[in-house]
């Protein structure tokens, strides 16, 4: 676990002597050396010289609350009831839940340089090394659960794509969405979304929208992920400013959530279709004990997946999607066989 003070000093990629590091971090020698030894394990490549001291081989642009706050829209600046940037935390979603459980209400924003227990969907771990990726949670009041929640994860994924493209990332034309809430770059996962609900039975329901975006993954990090994963750096984005990227994503998320809560998912349906990575693919969907096989035909007006199966078209509202284990006969193929 790397301290913020040490990262702040070394982030510039310049040489820093041991005496300076001890003085500015106020660490004792043993603690300093323990942190520096741990840098490579966290994907931070450190160069050591007996005379010059230490430097990061690749400079870092650290998250900056003031820079993000100044770059987001004036309306979001005014409406945020809580805005926190942490060096290290269990997970930003957990922090958001604690804030709500402690009486917090309204819009909240939580970021971290590192998550010790980052969470993905269905209990998975989200690999969360320090100072290179984006771990972001937004808390948003939900005025009408029935009209909004159906397409919320899809709209969040579209907002990520909008923000990434607005930030001018290289490879933006290859961004795609995978139902219900992943963003792909090329043929691998770039970002994931975890939605949680707080106060569903009360008059003050809030949705917790967690986003993890791979900006720069080490080979070790990549090997620990149980599916094909990519990052922005692999597509030529070597010096991206995460503060600007966060602000761009939040700008589009704010606008899209406002429209979603007024008009529902239907206005976003055409955009989803243009970016849909699963359209025309044969998949298997696992939802609890139920398994469905079929061909993806798109999404409905509420964001449900439309699956063409042997039993006709079905709309699926949730589940785990994987490549199909068997071929599925389309209507045209059935007609030919008859």
């Amino acid at each position: 676990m790397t301290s913020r003070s040490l990262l702040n000093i070394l982030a510039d990629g310049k040489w820093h002597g041991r005496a300076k590091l001890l003085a500015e971090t106020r660490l004792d020698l043993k603690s300093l050396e323990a942190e520096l030894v741990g840098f490579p394990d966290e994907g931070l490549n450190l160069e050591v010289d007996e005379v010059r001291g230490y430097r990061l081989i690749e400079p870092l642009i650290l998250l900056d609350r003031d820079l993000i706050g100044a770059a987001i829209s004036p309306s979001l600046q005014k409406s945020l009831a809580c805005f926190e940037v942490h060096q290290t935390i269990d997970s930003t979603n957990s922090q958001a839940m604690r804030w709500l459980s402690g009486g917090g209400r309204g819009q909240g924003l939580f970021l971290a340089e590192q998550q010790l227990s980052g969470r993905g969907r269905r209990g998975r771990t989200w690999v969360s090394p320090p100072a290179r990726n984006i771990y972001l949670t937004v808390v948003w009041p939900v005025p009408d659960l029935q009209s909004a929640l159906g397409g919320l994860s899809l709209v969040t994924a579209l907002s990520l794509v909008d923000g990434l493209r607005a930030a001018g990332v290289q490879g933006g034309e290859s961004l795609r969405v995978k139902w219900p809430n992943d963003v792909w770059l090329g043929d691998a996962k770039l970002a994931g979304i975890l939605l949680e609900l707080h106060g569903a039975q009360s008059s003050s329901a809030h949705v917790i929208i967690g986003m993890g975006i791979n900006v720069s993954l080490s080979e070790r990090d990549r090997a620990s992920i149980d599916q094909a994963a990519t990052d922005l750096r692999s597509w030529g984005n070597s010096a991206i400013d995460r503060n600007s990227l966060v602000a761009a994503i939040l700008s589009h998320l704010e606008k899209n959530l406002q429209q979603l809560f007024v008009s529902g998912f239907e206005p976003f349906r055409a955009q989803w279709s243009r970016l849909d990575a699963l359209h025309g693919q044969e998949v298997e969907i696992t939802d609890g004990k139920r398994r469905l096989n079929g061909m993806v035909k798109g999404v409905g007006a509420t964001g449900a997946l439309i699956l063409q199966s042997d039993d006709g078209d079905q709309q699926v509202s949730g589940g785990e999607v994987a490549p199909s284990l068997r071929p599925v006969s389309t209507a045209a193929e059935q007609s030919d066989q008859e």
Side-chain angles (χ1 to χ4, degrees):
M1 190 164 57
T2 306
S3 69
R4 177 79 184 190
S5 58
L6 186 55
L7 271 179
N8 278 340
I9 299 168
L10 293 171
D12 61 9
K14 298 178 181 179
W15 289 102
H16 298 275
R18 182 180 298 175
K20 177 184 178 182
L21 295 180
L22 288 169
E24 295 190 12
T25 62
R26 298 184 180 179
L27 295 170
D28 58 53
L29 181 59
K30 184 177 180 180
S31 298
L32 175 65
E33 290 181 342
E35 286 204 24
L36 292 170
V37 166
F39 267 45
D41 290 337
E42 295 183 333
L44 301 170
N45 298 317
L46 196 66
E47 188 173 359
V48 182
D49 184 273
E50 288 297 327
V51 176
R52 292 177 290 181
Y54 307 86
R55 75 176 183 97
L56 283 175
I57 295 176
E58 299 176 6
L60 300 172
I61 301 175
L62 300 179
L63 295 175
D64 188 306
R65 187 184 186 282
D66 292 338
L67 290 177
I68 295 170
I72 60 178
S73 70
S75 59
L76 189 56
Q77 291 175 23
K78 294 178 181 178
S79 63
L80 280 177
C82 184
F83 180 8
E84 298 177 359
V85 178
H86 295 265
Q87 168 59 26
T88 304
I89 203 170
D90 50 357
S91 82
T92 54
N93 266 34
S94 295
Q95 181 66 8
M97 185 66 77
R98 285 190 288 268
W99 176 64
L100 288 169
S101 298
R105 293 295 180 268
Q107 295 168 359
L109 176 58
F110 304 86
L111 295 108
E113 287 286 11
Q114 181 180 20
Q115 296 183 124
L116 300 180
S117 303
R119 294 186 286 127
R121 294 182 71 236
R122 299 182 178 269
R124 293 188 178 93
T125 297
W126 188 268
V127 176
S128 307
R132 295 192 313 283
N133 302 316
I134 292 174
Y135 318 119
L136 165 67
T137 294
V138 173
V139 174
W140 208 273
V142 183
D144 183 350
L145 290 176
Q146 295 300 321
S147 65
L149 289 185
L152 184 56
S153 63
L154 284 71
V155 168
T156 302
L158 292 175
S159 301
L160 284 174
V161 172
D162 290 341
L164 289 162
R165 287 180 170 174
V169 299
Q170 295 189 50
E173 70 283 353
S174 298
L175 287 164
R176 299 185 294 163
V177 289
K178 177 193 172 189
W179 187 90
N181 51 9
D182 286 347
V183 175
W184 285 8
L185 186 50
D187 296 320
K189 184 172 178 175
L190 175 73
I193 298 158
L194 176 64
L195 300 183
E196 298 180 286
L197 196 60
H198 182 275
Q201 307 304 320
S202 71
S203 59
S204 59
H206 289 73
V207 66
I208 299 171
I209 308 171
M211 293 167 270
I213 305 158
N214 297 328
V215 177
S216 178
L217 290 173
S218 68
E219 290 304 317
R220 176 175 174 173
D221 295 334
R222 202 184 302 268
S224 67
I225 299 172
D226 63 356
Q227 59 182 296
T230 189
D231 59 10
L232 293 175
R233 181 181 175 183
S234 298
W235 288 71
N237 301 282
S238 59
I240 197 163
D241 184 345
R242 292 177 296 147
N243 298 297
S244 299
L245 186 53
V246 165
I249 290 168
L250 290 174
S251 173
H252 287 277
L253 182 66
E254 178 190 23
K255 178 185 67 175
N256 289 343
L257 288 182
Q258 289 170 346
Q259 182 174 8
L260 174 70
F261 292 154
V262 171
S263 307
F265 178 73
E266 179 61 30
F268 300 94
R269 195 173 171 188
Q271 183 187 6
W272 182 275
S273 296
R274 292 193 298 270
L275 297 171
D276 190 353
L278 294 179
H279 191 274
Q281 300 295 312
E282 296 175 356
V283 301
E284 179 182 82
I285 300 177
T286 305
D287 183 9
K289 296 182 179 180
R290 183 179 66 158
R291 290 189 177 185
L292 297 172
N293 288 79
M295 178 178 291
V296 175
K297 293 182 64 177
V299 295
T302 63
L305 188 72
I306 301 175
L307 194 70
Q308 178 185 353
S309 70
D310 294 339
D311 298 322
D313 287 356
Q314 302 185 53
Q315 291 207 17
V316 183
S317 296
E320 191 76 5
V321 181
S324 179
L325 301 181
R326 64 180 180 85
V328 179
S329 298
T330 64
E333 289 172 337
Q334 291 174 352
S335 176
D336 289 341
Q337 291 169 355
E338 293 172 354

